[in-house]
Amino acid sequence: MAAATVFPEAPFVHFRRVAHPRVPNRWPHYRSDVLAKLAAKTGRELSTVTSDLEYTLAEPRPGYPEHHAVAAGALLLADQLDLGGLGFGYEMGSRWLGGGRYLWRFTPDNPMWSPHGRWGRLFAAAGVHLVLPVGGVSEAVTMRLALSSPLREQVRWCLRGTDGPCRNCGKCLYKELIQAAVERRPLDTPITADRPVARKYLKKPPYGGQEMIQYGLARVPGIENTLFAPALDYFDVSEESTSWLEHCYPPALEEIPARWRAQAAAFIEANVGLMTESEVRRVESWGSV
Ligand SMILES: [Zn+2]
């Protein structure tokens, strides 16, 4: 939704899973139907693509379509919709910091999302460029932008809840930490430290989305009295030491294809601001110290 806010005129293509006749659905609690309804409520021009493509994947097993697979519908509709690029909401953690999914270090040559990587070149060769309008800002910033946008009511990070985020899954816990930090309020979660989704914070880092864990530890009032307290032992964080996560890493704007760069840069400069030299070094030394 943050990426969509940068380009308010862009149409949406929603990739919606449908059942496969033979492969069982191992994640029936992932509510793609709820996301389809939210997409329809945005009022944007919307194409919903129904597909069982994800069931053809061996790894990851059928869950919810992700990564470049969600682009399949948009690629097939590219001529009809006259698309020149596909915007994704991947933020700095995924694009530049290794995300926690693959590795925890600065990744200028990220094979998934850099324009000069395998996928970026393949998409560009097909005439549909990968565009990451918010690739230079942290999840705290994308959350702030999304929640202060006209799309606020359709923001949803949980694939389980029907009337809102479920508040009980690991993703809801992680996002609650970020939202509490953004809103400068105490943590509000029904999850207790004995729950499996909370147990990882009793162990040593690295954690997925570690930069946002540090950001939350530095900013959420009363964090020392929550299930995140054990993680405080592993980091020496402060608002100052995490303030680089409130600004945009400039090379992320430079790598946006020229056709969309000026609009994205103007939005980011007006609503976020660019990193200083020392903040840029925080990004580029991530995982090496
Ligand atoms: Zn949830």
Side-chain angles (χ1 to χ4, degrees), residues 48-179:
T48 297
V49 179
T50 53
S51 173
D52 60 7
L53 170 72
E54 63 178 302
Y55 293 90
T56 67
L57 302 174
E59 282 295 336
R61 296 294 178 88
Y64 192 75
E66 59 174 8
H67 300 200
H68 305 81
V70 297
L75 287 172
L76 294 170
L77 289 168
D79 279 344
Q80 197 178 319
L81 296 175
D82 196 23
L83 304 181
L86 293 179
F88 290 87
Y90 286 94
E91 38 62 62
M92 181 166 63
S94 298
R95 166 63 188 92
W96 296 94
L97 305 181
R101 189 186 290 275
Y102 310 102
L103 31 80
W104 283 269
R105 60 173 170 76
F106 176 56
T107 50
D109 299 323
N110 182 317
M112 304 290 281
W113 299 113
S114 63
H116 53 279
R118 268 170 289 175
W119 288 100
R121 283 183 284 130
L122 187 61
F123 274 65
V128 188
H129 295 265
L130 293 180
V131 182
L132 305 186
V134 292
V137 302
S138 71
E139 272 183 281
V141 171
T142 55
M143 183 178 283
R144 174 172 68 76
L145 294 175
L147 291 180
S148 57
S149 79
L151 298 169
R152 177 187 171 93
E153 295 303 316
Q154 288 85 47
V155 173
R156 183 70 55 86
W157 46 74
C158 171
L159 293 171
R160 298 175 184 233
T162 51
D163 298 323
C166 80
R167 289 172 48 82
N168 277 292
C169 70
K171 194 166 185 194
C172 278
L173 177 61
Y174 173 72
K175 292 287 188 178
E176 167 59 18
L177 178 70
I178 300 171
Q179 191 175 1

